[in-house]
Amino acid sequence: MTIKVGDKIPSIALQVMGAEGPQAVTTDGLLAGKKVVLFAVPGAYTPGCSNTHMPGFVIHADKIKAKGVDDIICTSVNDVFVMAAWGRDQNAEHITMLADGNGELAEALGLTLDLTGAKLGVRSKRYAMIVNDGVVELLNVDDKGIEKSSAETILEAL
Ligand code: BEZ
């Protein structure tokens, strides 16, 4: 079942890159007591994600945070090393790069995307959420294109 507005984000153990290497985090720890924009991409370094989706959030990060957002989090079904390298390449220092290496978050949210036909395995759908204290306030899923989940759309919604 797909997560919907009003639902709490399930508790999932994930990774970010810390100063000493991969660091364990949980959705609970990342989201509790905060207003967060969480966006997901089908794959680090893929053209749409690198050329359009991520750059929008990098460009608009300050404006998004000025609307009362504590953190912007980007997640993808990629390992923590790839997510860290992609974040560096994208100058995404104001964005938390959250590695969902096993696809457990995508699965728990009901937002997996089967790209096995393209030899990419099972990934995450492209989406953006506004999450307040762990509860989904807005969920925009793009089954095609990068319209509903763009930084510009989320900025307008905030
Ligand atoms: C993209 O361009 O964003 C993309 C390409 C292939 C698979 C998934 C995403």
Side-chain angles (χ1 to χ4, degrees), residues 68-148:
V69 169
D70 297 296
D71 290 317
I72 303 170
I73 301 175
C74 173
T75 187
S76 180
V77 181
N78 285 111
D79 68 69
V80 69
F81 301 97
V82 165
M83 288 300 278
W86 190 46
R88 275 197 306 274
D89 289 352
Q90 290 279 327
N91 299 311
E93 59 269 9
H94 301 303
I95 296 174
T96 300
M97 302 300 292
L98 181 64
D100 184 16
N102 293 337
E104 290 154 296
L105 178 61
E107 181 71 41
L109 298 177
L111 288 168
T112 57
L113 175 66
D114 186 350
L115 291 178
T116 51
K119 304 295 183 194
L120 289 168
V122 177
R123 299 295 186 102
S124 173
K125 286 190 180 184
R126 190 186 299 285
Y127 65 82
M129 290 179 183
I130 300 170
V131 184
N132 204 343
D133 196 19
V135 175
V136 179
E137 281 193 346
L138 176 86
L139 170 60
N140 284 1
V141 181
D142 274 315
D143 289 315
K144 263 191 191 163
I146 309 174
E147 190 77 47
K148 298 179 200 158

Side-chain angles (χ1 to χ4, degrees), residues 31-52:
L31 302 172
K34 292 180 185 169
K35 186 164 186 168
V36 172
V37 169
L38 170 66
F39 73 100
V41 298
Y45 289 105
T46 59
C49 307
S50 281
N51 298 334
T52 305

